[in-house]
Amino acid sequence: MELKVTHLDACYGKHKVLSDLSFSLPKGKLMCVLGPNGVGKSTLFQCILGLKKQQAGKIYIQGVEVETLNIRQRAKQIAFIPQSHHPVFSYKVKDIVLMSTESTLSGIKSPGKRQMEMALEAMERVGISHLAERKYTQISGGERQLVMIARALAQQAKVLIMDEPTSNLDYGNQVRIMKQIRKLVEDGYTILQSCHQPDQAFLYADEILALWKGRVLAQGSPKEVLTEELIQKIYGVDVEIKSFHEDQIRVCIPAYLHKS
């Protein structure tokens, strides 16, 4: 499903966080949102999810204005994967995933056989079926993040909003999480993901949305958008971008490493 944001303004009190922000994300694409802390990435996500009301602008999912949808309707369209999740109760993994299927029920019915099948299918999709009976409090951070992705898939939404899904994970788990995210994109999911690592954006993203002072500084493919100048502007550090394998792979290297 296509996600479209037009002329979005959002404030906290008198402080404007987002200003005239517009972009579109086609179906089946991964967009990485880049920008320094406090630039408005989380505020943008909250507006899309309906957790914060914007002062101006419109947000559309497949041409339908999000504000016209009730909570259950919105849950059928958009799912959220948080940056981290700290459990309070020792639920089993399968129960954590099952909780997200409520939007597929009518009235006040409890999840049934169909919902359990959806939960198990979602866990199978991200490779965590073997964790179904484990306590959520007794699995690793990387495994928890996969549980959060499975929970979003069981919700049956086709637009996924991810807030730095690999933060606080070791390198191996970062690669595993991004591999699963890339598979979802190939299966037709539309994913908007905040990210602080240009290298990760180079490797996995289809689109880049660079934010600066609450506005869109640049949007386009990583190859077009992620320049040394842009990274210096939004993060305040000098980098050199190196290309490998006939320019198919790019990485950012702090410029000081090449100075004598």
Side-chain angles (χ1 to χ4, degrees):
M1 291 188 178
E2 182 188 34
L3 172 65
K4 186 175 182 179
V5 175
T6 62
H7 306 294
L8 186 68
D9 286 357
C11 303
Y12 286 100
K14 295 182 179 180
H15 175 60
K16 181 173 281 191
V17 180
L18 300 176
S19 181
D20 196 29
L21 192 150
S22 298
F23 70 91
S24 61
L25 175 58
K27 174 185 176 182
K29 298 292 183 181
L30 168 61
M31 175 180 280
C32 280
V33 184
L34 299 178
N37 290 331
V39 79
K41 299 185 295 293
S42 295
T43 301
L44 170 62
F45 291 175
Q46 289 170 8
C47 289
I48 294 171
L49 294 164
L51 302 177
K52 177 173 178 55
K53 185 172 178 60
Q54 65 264 27
Q55 273 62 45
K58 302 291 184 182
I59 301 169
Y60 301 92
I61 298 289
Q62 203 66 11
V64 178
E65 189 177 345
V66 172
E67 276 197 337
T68 66
L69 304 176
N70 61 36
I71 293 175
R72 188 179 294 272
Q73 291 170 330
R74 194 173 302 197
K76 291 180 179 179
Q77 306 293 335
I78 314 170
F80 178 61
I81 294 91
Q83 181 179 131
S84 60
H85 184 253
H86 303 287
V88 177
F89 301 105
S90 297
Y91 291 112
K92 290 182 179 180
V93 164
K94 67 179 183 181
D95 294 326
I96 293 286
V97 178
L98 184 63
M99 290 175 190
S100 71
T101 63
E102 183 181 351
S103 63
T104 67
L105 298 168
S106 58
I108 55 174
K109 293 181 180 179
S110 299
K113 180 180 178 181
R114 175 171 172 264
Q115 282 69 40
M116 180 55 75
E117 289 173 349
M118 290 160 54
L120 294 175
E121 181 183 346
M123 287 188 286
E124 176 70 28
R125 188 169 218 165
V126 298
I128 58 168
S129 295
H130 62 289
L131 299 176
E133 299 296 329
R134 292 275 300 278
K135 298 290 187 181
Y136 185 69
T137 52
Q138 298 174 356
I139 60 178
S140 71
E143 289 170 335
R144 286 183 190 173
Q145 200 65 2
L146 288 172
V147 173
M148 291 295 99
I149 293 174
R151 186 175 71 169
L153 299 184
Q155 191 174 315
Q156 302 290 290
K158 285 296 185 179
V159 176
L160 306 180
I161 307 296
M162 300 187 176
D163 187 7
E164 296 183 45
T166 62
S167 66
N168 303 317
L169 297 181
D170 63 44
Y171 179 72
N173 277 318
Q174 288 182 30
V175 172
R176 282 184 278 273
I177 294 295
M178 291 309 303
K179 181 180 178 181
Q180 291 295 338
I181 290 172
R182 197 61 235 177
K183 284 183 179 179
L184 295 176
V185 173
E186 292 167 2
D187 287 342
Y189 285 85
T190 303
I191 300 179
L192 184 67
Q193 170 193 327
S194 59
C195 174
H196 277 307
Q197 300 182 39
D199 290 343
Q200 194 177 90
F202 271 132
L203 287 170
Y204 298 103
D206 300 300
E207 293 273 329
I208 299 296
L209 184 71
L211 301 184
W212 176 248
K213 294 184 178 180
R215 295 177 178 270
V216 176
L217 181 62
Q219 180 185 355
S221 71
K223 187 174 181 179
E224 296 169 338
V225 169
L226 281 180
T227 63
E228 294 170 353
E229 293 76 18
L230 181 133
I231 293 170
Q232 198 284 330
K233 182 175 181 66
I234 62 178
Y235 293 118
V237 294
D238 293 324
V239 299
E240 293 186 13
I241 295 177
K242 299 295 183 181
S243 300
F244 302 91
H245 298 293
E246 297 181 357
D247 208 30
Q248 295 302 307
I249 298 177
R250 294 186 173 193
V251 296
C252 278
I253 302 172
Y256 74 86
L257 293 176
H258 290 274
K259 293 179 179 179
S260 57

